[in-house]
Amino acid sequence: MTSLTAPLPGSKKLGLVIDLDTCVGCHACAVNCKEWNTGGHSAPLPDFDPYGANVSGVWFNRIHTFEAGEGDSSRTVHFPKSCLHCETPACVTVCPTGASFKRAEDGIVLVNPDTCIGCKLCSWACPYGAREFDADEGVMKKCTLCIDRIYNENLAENERVPACVSTCPASARHFGDLGDPSSDVSRLVAERGGFALMPEMEYAPVNRYLPPRAAKTAVGCTGAKAELDRPADAAVLHPLLRWMDKVLSR
Amino acid sequence: MHPAFSVIFFTTSSGAGYGLLALVAVASALGFVPASGWFAVVSLGPATALIVAGLLASTLHLGHPERAWRAFSQVRSSWLSREGVAAVLTFLPMAVFGIAWAFCGRSDGVFALVGLFAALCATVTVFTTAMIYRSLKPIHQWHNRWTVPNYLALSFATGGLLLDALVQIWGRPQAVVGIAALVFVAMAAYLKHRYWNFIDTTKSASTPESATGLGARGKVRFLDAPHTEENYLQKEMGFAIARKHAVKLRAIARHSAFHLPFLLTAASLLLTGMPAALAAVAAAVFGIAGTLVERWLFFAEAKHAVTLYYGASEV
């Protein structure tokens, strides 16, 4: 049903916490997302004209880059964006068929590809661009929070995290229960002042972003000399002069 | 927003059809249109054709048209689902009213009441269509108080122009039908003016700063897109071709949907016979053509909040 039901008692609010301070914009999370999900729950993720001039395809995770601020305080921020698994997602309530739904037990927002009519209304209702239409299959697709990894008992326990989280070389992505205030991710959000995107839409996103830390403007003493010794003049002389210097120095 | 032709055709065609149905039923109950069963055929026939053509067109943009029946299931939350149910339910009173009038010559008493109920259902259907757009928060140009009145007014304006053309062709027009068409066209023109004024002078509360949450550092500028080529989101939500020509297209829509139909309908009220009928038919043709342009603009001028992640500085 696309009507939202109250979360079950003790249910989880699974989501991601993305650290904009440490993200280096390498796109590895997007690539691993594509790799896993093109064989996963919503497989395949099509690519059209993949080797041509107008390549396009379905991705669940895209890395944007912004500049924030002016002058010395400005900062280049790499900005990964995927489904935020909102608590009151309009993408679910606008669905006319019930194909779009939010799981009561963990809050993951999914699409049932067998009942989706491909009307695209859910993608219009999402301000975050989390949903992408698969023109090949005629249905809407979106991030599943790697539902086929996080509960997958065939994987080692430490691998039961979304593909984007497992692959991040900068550990900028964290996965956990944001409904539990004592979870690692909730503590991280509290500690770093994590925020939600476009709160004015009132979709109550579960995912949180951690702001870039303030840039250092002063350098502390590291014990190094303030200035390096000047290199010996010999090092920059002509080979002939260097030979003369060597001879005369005897 | 990308203006999908199937949706533009659907909202214009079905809108005119539902408007015509509603006004025929009301005018019939009040005795303003011929009571002959044949008039039921020539008025409710085109209304049905417009509605059915629109509804069929609306399934063309679906990825799975064969599953369209599933769209009737979520009336509790989805305006699209409510629209589907309202559209189908309207056929019931419409069929009873039409058959009784066309084949039994009965459009009085209880059948007039059934007709008025059909008019109510038709109005509700147009309302649900408008609410699909009105309810979408990420699109400021749709999520505002002018969307629903505009859809209803244009439905009645195009329906009123069609009805006036039909009674003029029929040969014994009552001035009240033409005057009603004038009133609806004037209302639609006023509401569209207010709508354009609203979208020109206001913008969404969402900004690149709120979209990224980086506003505390200052102005946020888009530096680099995720991919080299346009993706689905940019093609579907980032359409900008008609926006470039918005001023010209608005003038075309104003003249074609409002000014010309108003003048032609006024002329038909003053004329008689063939010239009056021709003027009324031309008014209806211009009205519908202008509404198609208006509907195109309704999509093309709508800016989706997701474009803030792709370089838009405001929506």
Side-chain angles (χ1 to χ4, degrees):
Chain A
M1 289 296 284
T2 58
S3 290
L4 296 172
T5 46
L8 300 172
S11 65
K12 292 178 175 177
K13 282 204 293 194
L14 295 183
L16 300 173
V17 174
I18 295 164
D19 191 342
L20 298 178
D21 189 68
T22 48
C23 175
V24 294
C26 69
H27 293 235
C29 54
V31 173
N32 202 35
C33 167
K34 179 89 168 175
E35 160 110 37
W36 175 267
N37 282 295
T38 204
H41 180 271
S42 300
L45 304 191
D47 284 306
F48 302 99
D49 196 15
Y51 304 104
N54 283 313
V55 55
S56 72
V58 174
W59 294 71
F60 294 164
N61 183 18
R62 293 181 183 264
I63 321 314
H64 305 240
T65 304
F66 293 92
E67 284 179 320
E70 308 285 342
D72 285 349
S73 66
S74 76
R75 167 101 184 224
T76 300
V77 182
H78 301 293
F79 194 93
K81 188 168 57 57
S82 52
C83 176
L84 310 173
H85 298 281
C86 300
E87 288 182 67
T88 51
C91 61
V92 169
T93 52
V94 299
C95 175
T97 70
S100 211
F101 62 102
K102 183 171 175 69
R103 284 160 53 106
E105 62 268 41
D106 53 17
I108 297 177
V109 176
L110 292 175
V111 179
N112 178 352
D114 296 328
T115 54
C116 174
I117 57 173
C119 71
K120 305 180 187 165
L121 189 57
C122 56
S123 67
W124 294 5
C126 175
Y128 306 106
R131 291 174 170 246
E132 299 197 12
F133 185 66
D134 176 349
D136 209 33
E137 226 178 301
V139 297
M140 195 57 72
K141 295 196 170 173
K142 69 176 292 300
C143 159
T144 66
L145 208 60
C146 282
I147 195 162
D148 39 13
R149 283 181 68 100
I150 60 176
Y151 296 117
N152 191 337
E153 290 179 1
N154 295 315
L155 296 177
E157 207 156 329
N158 63 352
E159 288 176 32
R160 291 179 205 162
V161 293
C164 57
V165 172
S166 75
T167 204
C168 179
S171 291
R173 303 181 70 98
H174 309 270
F175 164 71
D177 180 7
L178 285 145
D180 172 8
S182 64
S183 69
D184 288 349
V185 280
S186 294
R187 286 211 299 267
L188 190 58
V189 169
E191 204 175 290
R192 294 276 308 280
F195 56 83
L197 307 183
M198 287 200 246
E200 68 276 9
M201 289 286 165
E202 296 171 331
Y203 287 9
V206 169
N207 285 12
R208 287 289 183 271
Y209 284 76
L210 306 180
R213 291 182 174 91
K216 284 183 180 146
T217 51
V219 208
C221 181
T222 60
K225 289 179 182 172
E227 205 175 321
L228 291 175
D229 293 334
R230 289 185 53 157
D233 288 347
V236 294
L237 294 177
H238 189 272
L240 181 67
L241 295 174
R242 204 154 65 213
W243 175 77
M244 279 177 66
D245 180 56
K246 211 165 149 188
V247 170
L248 293 172
S249 302
R250 280 181 190 161
Chain B
M1 298 297 295
H2 172 71
F5 185 74
S6 59
V7 179
I8 291 169
F9 177 78
F10 156 61
T11 55
T12 306
S13 177
S14 292
Y18 284 121
L20 178 58
L21 163 64
L23 295 176
V24 167
V26 171
S28 161
L30 297 173
F32 292 145
V33 290
S36 156
W38 283 109
F39 191 78
V41 176
V42 302
S43 61
L44 295 176
T48 311
L50 286 167
I51 292 168
V52 171
L55 291 175
L56 288 177
S58 75
T59 64
L60 290 180
H61 83 288
L62 298 180
H64 280 281
E66 80 284 2
R67 296 177 184 168
W69 60 272
R70 292 185 182 276
F72 301 122
S73 64
Q74 305 299 314
V75 284
R76 280 172 58 209
S77 72
S78 166
W79 281 105
L80 179 51
S81 200
R82 289 170 193 163
E83 180 202 39
V85 170
V88 170
L89 283 183
T90 303
F91 283 118
L92 295 174
M94 184 183 177
V96 173
F97 175 61
I99 290 167
W101 187 8
F103 301 112
C104 313
R106 293 287 307 277
S107 58
D108 53 340
V110 69
F111 295 109
L113 286 177
V114 172
L116 291 175
F117 182 62
L120 179 68
C121 289
T123 309
V124 167
T125 305
V126 176
F127 172 78
T128 56
T129 302
M131 280 306 293
I132 294 171
Y133 304 103
R134 166 76 172 91
S135 67
L136 294 172
K137 276 188 189 174
I139 305 158
H140 173 70
Q141 291 76 13
W142 293 357
H143 185 67
N144 63 68
R145 63 184 181 279
W146 297 106
T147 297
V148 171
N150 265 282
Y151 265 77
L152 287 169
L154 270 164
S155 170
F156 288 131
T158 47
L161 290 168
L162 284 169
L163 180 59
D164 186 44
L166 290 170
V167 295
Q168 288 283 1
I169 294 169
W170 190 262
R172 263 168 301 168
Q174 292 222 24
V176 66
V177 176
I179 291 167
L182 285 179
V183 170
F184 287 127
V185 170
M187 263 174 53
Y190 169 74
L191 290 167
K192 197 71 220 181
H193 173 73
R194 293 298 302 266
Y195 170 85
W196 277 327
N197 189 48
F198 176 85
I199 67 168
D200 287 346
T201 54
T202 59
K203 56 188 179 196
S204 168
S206 296
T207 59
E209 288 75 33
S210 76
T212 58
L214 297 170
R217 301 189 77 90
K219 189 105 187 110
V220 173
R221 297 175 300 281
F222 180 65
L223 183 65
D224 208 0
H227 290 74
T228 51
E229 305 306 317
E230 284 203 330
N231 63 29
Y232 161 75
L233 298 165
Q234 289 161 287
K235 287 173 193 158
E236 182 79 3
M237 327 287 181
F239 186 84
I241 291 172
R243 222 182 281 164
K244 205 169 78 183
H245 305 296
V247 176
K248 275 183 204 161
L249 286 168
R250 279 189 191 182
I252 292 171
R254 271 203 185 95
H255 293 318
S256 178
F258 310 129
H259 300 166
L260 280 172
F262 191 90
L263 292 174
L264 287 163
T265 305
S268 80
L269 279 169
L270 303 173
L271 300 167
T272 52
M274 186 66 112
L278 282 176
V281 169
V285 170
F286 277 117
I288 288 174
T291 303
L292 284 171
V293 179
E294 180 276 340
R295 220 31 67 80
W296 174 282
L297 277 171
F298 180 74
F299 278 82
E301 291 193 298
K303 299 172 189 170
H304 197 285
V306 76
T307 57
L308 294 170
Y309 292 109
Y310 289 91
S313 55
E314 60 179 47
V315 289

